[in-house]
PDB file of all heavy atoms in Angstrom:
ATOM      1  N   LYS C 162      28.164  40.804  33.901  1.00  0.00           N
ATOM      2  CA  LYS C 162      28.776  41.767  32.955  1.00  0.00           C
ATOM      3  C   LYS C 162      30.164  42.171  33.423  1.00  0.00           C
ATOM      4  O   LYS C 162      31.064  42.270  32.674  1.00  0.00           O
ATOM      5  CB  LYS C 162      27.822  43.016  32.882  1.00  0.00           C
ATOM      6  CG  LYS C 162      26.562  42.724  32.047  1.00  0.00           C
ATOM      7  CD  LYS C 162      25.757  43.974  31.884  1.00  0.00           C
ATOM      8  CE  LYS C 162      24.511  43.682  31.017  1.00  0.00           C
ATOM      9  NZ  LYS C 162      23.503  44.755  31.087  1.00  0.00           N
ATOM     10  N   MET C 163      30.280  42.420  34.745  1.00  0.00           N
ATOM     11  CA  MET C 163      31.594  42.743  35.314  1.00  0.00           C
ATOM     12  C   MET C 163      32.645  41.634  34.988  1.00  0.00           C
ATOM     13  O   MET C 163      33.810  41.938  34.775  1.00  0.00           O
ATOM     14  CB  MET C 163      31.474  42.973  36.805  1.00  0.00           C
ATOM     15  CG  MET C 163      32.795  43.389  37.525  1.00  0.00           C
ATOM     16  SD  MET C 163      33.484  44.939  36.819  1.00  0.00           S
ATOM     17  CE  MET C 163      32.237  46.138  37.369  1.00  0.00           C
ATOM     18  N   LEU C 164      32.153  40.398  34.972  1.00  0.00           N
ATOM     19  CA  LEU C 164      33.056  39.286  34.730  1.00  0.00           C
ATOM     20  C   LEU C 164      33.355  39.068  33.221  1.00  0.00           C
ATOM     21  O   LEU C 164      34.090  38.164  32.802  1.00  0.00           O
ATOM     22  CB  LEU C 164      32.456  38.001  35.296  1.00  0.00           C
ATOM     23  CG  LEU C 164      32.373  37.936  36.863  1.00  0.00           C
ATOM     24  CD1 LEU C 164      31.328  36.973  37.309  1.00  0.00           C
ATOM     25  CD2 LEU C 164      33.814  37.546  37.395  1.00  0.00           C
ATOM     26  N   GLY C 165      32.739  39.935  32.427  1.00  0.00           N
ATOM     27  CA  GLY C 165      33.060  39.892  30.944  1.00  0.00           C
ATOM     28  C   GLY C 165      32.123  39.097  30.155  1.00  0.00           C
ATOM     29  O   GLY C 165      32.260  38.902  28.957  1.00  0.00           O
ATOM     30  N   ALA C 166      31.013  38.595  30.760  1.00  0.00           N
ATOM     31  CA  ALA C 166      30.035  37.776  29.971  1.00  0.00           C
ATOM     32  C   ALA C 166      29.037  38.718  29.338  1.00  0.00           C
ATOM     33  O   ALA C 166      28.809  39.829  29.734  1.00  0.00           O
ATOM     34  CB  ALA C 166      29.291  36.849  30.976  1.00  0.00           C
ATOM     35  N   GLU C 167      28.445  38.225  28.229  1.00  0.00           N
ATOM     36  CA  GLU C 167      27.372  38.946  27.566  1.00  0.00           C
ATOM     37  C   GLU C 167      26.076  38.303  28.092  1.00  0.00           C
ATOM     38  O   GLU C 167      25.880  37.107  28.002  1.00  0.00           O
ATOM     39  CB  GLU C 167      27.488  38.734  26.063  1.00  0.00           C
ATOM     40  CG  GLU C 167      26.474  39.496  25.269  1.00  0.00           C
ATOM     41  CD  GLU C 167      26.328  39.058  23.805  1.00  0.00           C
ATOM     42  OE1 GLU C 167      27.324  38.459  23.272  1.00  0.00           O
ATOM     43  OE2 GLU C 167      25.285  39.255  23.230  1.00  0.00           O
ATOM     44  N   VAL C 168      25.227  39.171  28.620  1.00  0.00           N
ATOM     45  CA  VAL C 168      23.908  38.703  29.108  1.00  0.00           C
ATOM     46  C   VAL C 168      22.880  39.002  27.991  1.00  0.00           C
ATOM     47  O   VAL C 168      22.711  40.203  27.665  1.00  0.00           O
ATOM     48  CB  VAL C 168      23.569  39.348  30.468  1.00  0.00           C
ATOM     49  CG1 VAL C 168      22.196  38.874  30.912  1.00  0.00           C
ATOM     50  CG2 VAL C 168      24.601  39.075  31.437  1.00  0.00           C
ATOM     51  N   ARG C 169      22.190  37.972  27.533  1.00  0.00           N
ATOM     52  CA  ARG C 169      21.159  38.251  26.496  1.00  0.00           C
ATOM     53  C   ARG C 169      19.790  38.076  27.126  1.00  0.00           C
ATOM     54  O   ARG C 169      19.403  36.931  27.390  1.00  0.00           O
ATOM     55  CB  ARG C 169      21.328  37.332  25.322  1.00  0.00           C
ATOM     56  CG  ARG C 169      22.576  37.592  24.513  1.00  0.00           C
ATOM     57  CD  ARG C 169      22.610  36.889  23.115  1.00  0.00           C
ATOM     58  NE  ARG C 169      23.949  37.050  22.563  1.00  0.00           N
ATOM     59  CZ  ARG C 169      24.420  36.323  21.565  1.00  0.00           C
ATOM     60  NH1 ARG C 169      23.639  35.321  21.056  1.00  0.00           N
ATOM     61  NH2 ARG C 169      25.626  36.505  21.059  1.00  0.00           N
ATOM     62  N   PRO C 170      19.063  39.196  27.276  1.00  0.00           N
ATOM     63  CA  PRO C 170      17.712  39.048  27.906  1.00  0.00           C
ATOM     64  C   PRO C 170      16.792  38.337  26.824  1.00  0.00           C
ATOM     65  O   PRO C 170      16.831  38.647  25.643  1.00  0.00           O
ATOM     66  CB  PRO C 170      17.258  40.475  28.066  1.00  0.00           C
ATOM     67  CG  PRO C 170      18.470  41.341  27.906  1.00  0.00           C
ATOM     68  CD  PRO C 170      19.375  40.531  27.017  1.00  0.00           C
ATOM     69  N   VAL C 171      16.026  37.368  27.344  1.00  0.00           N
ATOM     70  CA  VAL C 171      15.170  36.561  26.452  1.00  0.00           C
ATOM     71  C   VAL C 171      13.742  37.107  26.546  1.00  0.00           C
ATOM     72  O   VAL C 171      13.143  37.125  27.609  1.00  0.00           O
ATOM     73  CB  VAL C 171      15.205  35.094  26.832  1.00  0.00           C
ATOM     74  CG1 VAL C 171      14.245  34.264  25.979  1.00  0.00           C
ATOM     75  CG2 VAL C 171      16.633  34.562  26.634  1.00  0.00           C
ATOM     76  N   THR C 172      13.186  37.487  25.370  1.00  0.00           N
ATOM     77  CA  THR C 172      11.809  37.988  25.367  1.00  0.00           C
ATOM     78  C   THR C 172      10.846  37.098  24.595  1.00  0.00           C
ATOM     79  O   THR C 172       9.753  37.515  24.204  1.00  0.00           O
ATOM     80  CB  THR C 172      11.757  39.410  24.655  1.00  0.00           C
ATOM     81  OG1 THR C 172      12.423  39.314  23.417  1.00  0.00           O
ATOM     82  CG2 THR C 172      12.489  40.435  25.569  1.00  0.00           C
ATOM     83  N   SER C 173      11.259  35.853  24.293  1.00  0.00           N
ATOM     84  CA  SER C 173      10.305  34.920  23.684  1.00  0.00           C
ATOM     85  C   SER C 173       9.551  34.247  24.758  1.00  0.00           C
ATOM     86  O   SER C 173       9.950  34.202  25.966  1.00  0.00           O
ATOM     87  CB  SER C 173      11.070  33.927  22.827  1.00  0.00           C
ATOM     88  OG  SER C 173      12.005  33.233  23.629  1.00  0.00           O
ATOM     89  N   GLY C 174       8.419  33.655  24.368  1.00  0.00           N
ATOM     90  CA  GLY C 174       7.575  32.862  25.327  1.00  0.00           C
ATOM     91  C   GLY C 174       7.198  33.705  26.546  1.00  0.00           C
ATOM     92  O   GLY C 174       6.706  34.771  26.422  1.00  0.00           O
ATOM     93  N   SER C 175       7.512  33.083  27.760  1.00  0.00           N
ATOM     94  CA  SER C 175       7.072  33.781  28.973  1.00  0.00           C
ATOM     95  C   SER C 175       8.157  34.572  29.648  1.00  0.00           C
ATOM     96  O   SER C 175       8.070  34.955  30.803  1.00  0.00           O
ATOM     97  CB  SER C 175       6.515  32.734  29.928  1.00  0.00           C
ATOM     98  OG  SER C 175       7.485  31.783  30.306  1.00  0.00           O
ATOM     99  N   HIS C 176       9.261  34.710  28.948  1.00  0.00           N
ATOM    100  CA  HIS C 176      10.403  35.540  29.391  1.00  0.00           C
ATOM    101  C   HIS C 176      11.087  35.075  30.665  1.00  0.00           C
ATOM    102  O   HIS C 176      11.586  35.884  31.444  1.00  0.00           O
ATOM    103  CB  HIS C 176       9.958  37.012  29.639  1.00  0.00           C
ATOM    104  CG  HIS C 176       9.284  37.654  28.462  1.00  0.00           C
ATOM    105  ND1 HIS C 176       9.042  39.078  28.413  1.00  0.00           N
ATOM    106  CD2 HIS C 176       8.789  37.167  27.323  1.00  0.00           C
ATOM    107  CE1 HIS C 176       8.442  39.319  27.275  1.00  0.00           C
ATOM    108  NE2 HIS C 176       8.279  38.228  26.584  1.00  0.00           N
ATOM    109  N   THR C 177      11.000  33.779  30.948  1.00  0.00           N
ATOM    110  CA  THR C 177      11.707  33.266  32.178  1.00  0.00           C
ATOM    111  C   THR C 177      12.645  32.101  31.844  1.00  0.00           C
ATOM    112  O   THR C 177      13.016  31.961  30.660  1.00  0.00           O
ATOM    113  CB  THR C 177      10.678  32.805  33.272  1.00  0.00           C
ATOM    114  OG1 THR C 177       9.862  31.762  32.628  1.00  0.00           O
ATOM    115  CG2 THR C 177       9.792  33.950  33.709  1.00  0.00           C
ATOM    116  N   LEU C 178      12.959  31.363  32.860  1.00  0.00           N
ATOM    117  CA  LEU C 178      14.044  30.318  32.723  1.00  0.00           C
ATOM    118  C   LEU C 178      13.818  29.328  31.597  1.00  0.00           C
ATOM    119  O   LEU C 178      14.725  28.996  30.831  1.00  0.00           O
ATOM    120  CB  LEU C 178      14.239  29.629  34.069  1.00  0.00           C
ATOM    121  CG  LEU C 178      15.274  28.474  34.105  1.00  0.00           C
ATOM    122  CD1 LEU C 178      16.644  28.948  33.678  1.00  0.00           C
ATOM    123  CD2 LEU C 178      15.438  27.896  35.479  1.00  0.00           C
ATOM    124  N   LYS C 179      12.554  28.868  31.365  1.00  0.00           N
ATOM    125  CA  LYS C 179      12.371  27.851  30.371  1.00  0.00           C
ATOM    126  C   LYS C 179      12.609  28.467  28.962  1.00  0.00           C
ATOM    127  O   LYS C 179      13.127  27.789  28.087  1.00  0.00           O
ATOM    128  CB  LYS C 179      10.898  27.290  30.402  1.00  0.00           C
ATOM    129  CG  LYS C 179       9.835  28.154  29.877  1.00  0.00           C
ATOM    130  CD  LYS C 179       8.523  27.389  29.781  1.00  0.00           C
ATOM    131  CE  LYS C 179       7.371  28.271  29.283  1.00  0.00           C
ATOM    132  NZ  LYS C 179       7.334  28.533  27.878  1.00  0.00           N
ATOM    133  N   ASP C 180      12.318  29.736  28.824  1.00  0.00           N
ATOM    134  CA  ASP C 180      12.547  30.396  27.538  1.00  0.00           C
ATOM    135  C   ASP C 180      14.036  30.691  27.322  1.00  0.00           C
ATOM    136  O   ASP C 180      14.561  30.622  26.197  1.00  0.00           O
ATOM    137  CB  ASP C 180      11.712  31.659  27.467  1.00  0.00           C
ATOM    138  CG  ASP C 180      10.266  31.424  27.826  1.00  0.00           C
ATOM    139  OD1 ASP C 180       9.616  30.747  27.092  1.00  0.00           O
ATOM    140  OD2 ASP C 180       9.915  31.783  28.915  1.00  0.00           O
ATOM    141  N   ALA C 181      14.727  30.979  28.425  1.00  0.00           N
ATOM    142  CA  ALA C 181      16.150  31.121  28.323  1.00  0.00           C
ATOM    143  C   ALA C 181      16.797  29.830  27.905  1.00  0.00           C
ATOM    144  O   ALA C 181      17.725  29.779  27.084  1.00  0.00           O
ATOM    145  CB  ALA C 181      16.756  31.520  29.736  1.00  0.00           C
TER     146      ALA C 181
END
Side-chain angles (χ1 to χ4, degrees):
Chain C
K162 286 183 177 166
M163 183 58 68
L164 290 158
E167 184 194 339
V168 179
R169 292 192 189 163
V171 174
T172 53
S173 59
S175 60
H176 305 194
T177 59
L178 179 54
K179 79 172 175 76
D180 310 289

